[in-house]
Amino acid sequence: MTSHEERFQALIDSEEKIESTDWMPDGYRATLIRQIAQHAHSEVIGMQPEGNWITRAPSLDRKAILMAKVQDEAGHGLYLYSATETLGVTRDEVVELLHQGKHKYSSIFNYPTLSWADMGTIGWLVDGAAITNQVMLTRCSYGPYSRAMVRICKEESFHQRQGYEILLALCRGTDEQKAMAQDSVNRWWWPSLMMFGPHDSASTHSEQSMNWKIKRVSNDDLRQQFVDMTVPQADYLGLTLPDPDLQWNEERGHYDFGSIDWDEFWQVVKGNGPMNRERLSHKIKAWDDGAWVREAAAAHAAKQARKKEVA
Ligand code: BYC
């Protein structure tokens, strides 16, 4: 081991954070760029399914809350792009990789939002799954990522509660409203479980990422944690989770659940999900439409810099 490697390993072993100015192995840097950029893209693409319902929210209050939530997701994207930049890549570079289809974003955002109840279910299940994963990431060994996660988790908790509250209102409403909530949960349950990634045995990065303390808990353990947390919440709503194999296992102290359709998962990850093409083309159009804002901001910054020089 070189002295650089020894120092890096000592920081990891003693639970100290690695900072952007510290030496780090190329693989550690590349893994973080991949994961944090993917995470940032997910936050930004994740604005689309909910943005789709802002103009159709059932009341002014619901519209204001949904708009605030979607804006929060944009903010999360920005913190995470900033964290990626500390590793030596620019935001433009990683956004370009997303647009070229060379970077991924979370599979969950390739499913359509068909009813108002989906706003509740996304908050409850999708943000719920995201928090389960992100609470672990607050303990990530890379300082800028772990600190971004602390703030994001606080906001995600609010998102999760607002989603649950939408479903609670629907479940206490008319039979039609409750049926809408049930239909929504039926469609989002399995894709939410897929958010945690492939089984540990099929996860290419987990072992190394756990050694580097980028990830602290495995994909399957986080998924189990999410199921255990969510089943009682579904009971309280009076909704059924669409899995006949879901049952409490006294011996394990966990819920058993059925098998995930991994073929569907990989199809979605490879770009063949119900909304992949639409999500990416919408994202690229928004980027192109916003070019004049970036150009104007750059021109303004250059003008300010010139003024400073003259003064
Ligand atoms: N979707 O070796 P593995 C939000 C890929 S947004 C797509 O286990 P890793 C919100 C994986 O990249 C929050 N791809 O990977 C926003 C790898 O492919 P490559 C989103 C997936 O990285 C708006 C391959 O499969 N959260 O909260 O060790 C509205 C093998 O996987 C997925 C994050 O992004 C997937 N689900 O573990 C509402 C969390 N899963 O790169 C809410 C940050 C796996 O080798 N990310 N893949 O080609 C992570 O924690 C980890 O990257 C994962 C995967 C647990 C997702």
Side-chain angles (χ1 to χ4, degrees):
M1 264 201 198
T2 65
S3 59
H4 280 319
E5 285 167 339
E6 269 169 18
R7 184 169 179 277
F8 171 83
Q9 196 55 49
L11 286 173
I12 297 279
D13 292 344
S14 60
E15 296 289 330
E16 280 181 65
K17 298 293 178 205
I18 306 295
E19 297 298 338
S20 62
T21 45
D22 290 325
W23 181 92
M24 60 187 86
D26 291 345
Y28 181 83
R29 187 184 297 277
T31 298
L32 283 168
I33 291 174
R34 175 188 62 80
Q35 179 170 324
I36 307 174
Q38 177 171 322
H39 195 158
H41 303 325
S42 304
E43 300 283 357
V44 172
I45 298 255
M47 294 163 75
Q48 291 185 39
E50 289 171 292
N52 180 33
W53 277 89
I54 289 175
T55 55
R56 292 177 286 168
S59 70
L60 185 60
D61 276 355
R62 292 289 187 202
K63 191 194 289 276
I65 294 167
L66 185 60
M67 233 154 45
K69 179 191 190 292
V70 172
Q71 283 176 352
D72 282 353
E73 308 300 356
H76 297 173
L78 293 183
Y79 313 149
L80 289 163
Y81 282 127
S82 299
T84 319
E85 288 190 307
T86 65
L87 291 155
V89 281
T90 66
R91 188 184 339 166
D92 283 0
E93 280 168 331
V94 291
V95 167
E96 186 55 32
L97 289 168
L98 171 70
H99 292 176
Q100 291 171 357
K102 291 179 185 161
H103 263 192
K104 296 185 165 71
Y105 60 89
S106 181
S107 50
I108 192 72
F109 302 117
N110 294 304
Y111 291 86
T113 39
L114 304 178
S115 73
W116 171 252
D118 289 0
M119 299 307 98
T121 309
I122 288 182
W124 175 40
L125 295 182
V126 176
D127 285 276
I131 298 170
T132 308
N133 167 281
Q134 289 169 175
V135 165
M136 159 195 77
L137 292 173
T138 61
R139 295 190 294 120
C140 169
S141 57
Y142 188 56
Y145 192 27
S146 79
R147 290 190 288 272
M149 282 297 115
V150 172
R151 175 151 179 194
I152 290 177
C153 281
K154 285 185 188 158
E155 293 176 357
E156 299 287 28
S157 303
F158 152 72
H159 295 170
Q160 204 248 2
R161 279 177 215 171
Q162 68 82 38
Y164 195 74
E165 203 268 327
I166 290 175
L167 289 180
L168 204 52
L170 291 174
C171 290
R172 287 177 177 168
T174 63
D175 288 350
E176 260 177 312
Q177 287 172 317
K178 189 162 183 194
M180 199 203 285
Q182 183 63 62
D183 168 68
S184 173
V185 168
N186 291 348
R187 285 182 288 107
W188 289 91
W189 173 247
W190 289 106
S192 300
L193 294 191
M194 293 174 195
M195 282 176 77
F196 294 95
H199 268 319
D200 293 347
S201 54
S203 166
T204 36
H205 303 290
S206 275
E207 194 184 343
Q208 181 62 75
S209 287
M210 305 260 285
N211 286 342
W212 277 328
K213 298 183 182 170
I214 292 173
K215 282 166 89 166
R216 298 291 190 136
V217 184
S218 79
N219 297 358
D220 285 330
D221 287 351
L222 282 175
R223 194 169 5 248
Q224 181 71 61
Q225 209 174 298
F226 174 70
V227 171
D228 291 347
M229 172 185 88
T230 308
V231 175
Q233 297 173 352
D235 288 346
Y236 187 75
L237 289 170
L239 294 176
T240 312
L241 295 170
D243 179 357
D245 296 325
L246 190 66
Q247 60 178 350
W248 179 251
N249 182 326
E250 195 61 49
E251 231 168 77
R252 290 202 313 123
H254 291 291
Y255 283 91
D256 288 337
F257 55 98
S259 14
I260 290 170
D261 183 345
W262 292 112
D263 184 48
E264 174 180 325
F265 171 74
W266 289 115
Q267 283 301 327
V268 175
V269 170
K270 281 182 198 147
N272 303 319
M275 298 296 284
N276 292 62
R277 281 170 200 84
E278 191 170 332
R279 295 287 185 244
L280 199 57
S281 62
H282 185 87
K283 169 74 181 67
I284 293 170
K285 182 175 182 309
W287 180 258
D288 291 344
D289 289 350
W292 69 272
V293 180
R294 294 189 297 279
E295 282 158 20
H300 179 72
K303 196 171 160 196
Q304 295 299 104
R306 271 201 305 276
K307 257 191 200 168
K308 240 187 195 170
E309 257 173 43
V310 172

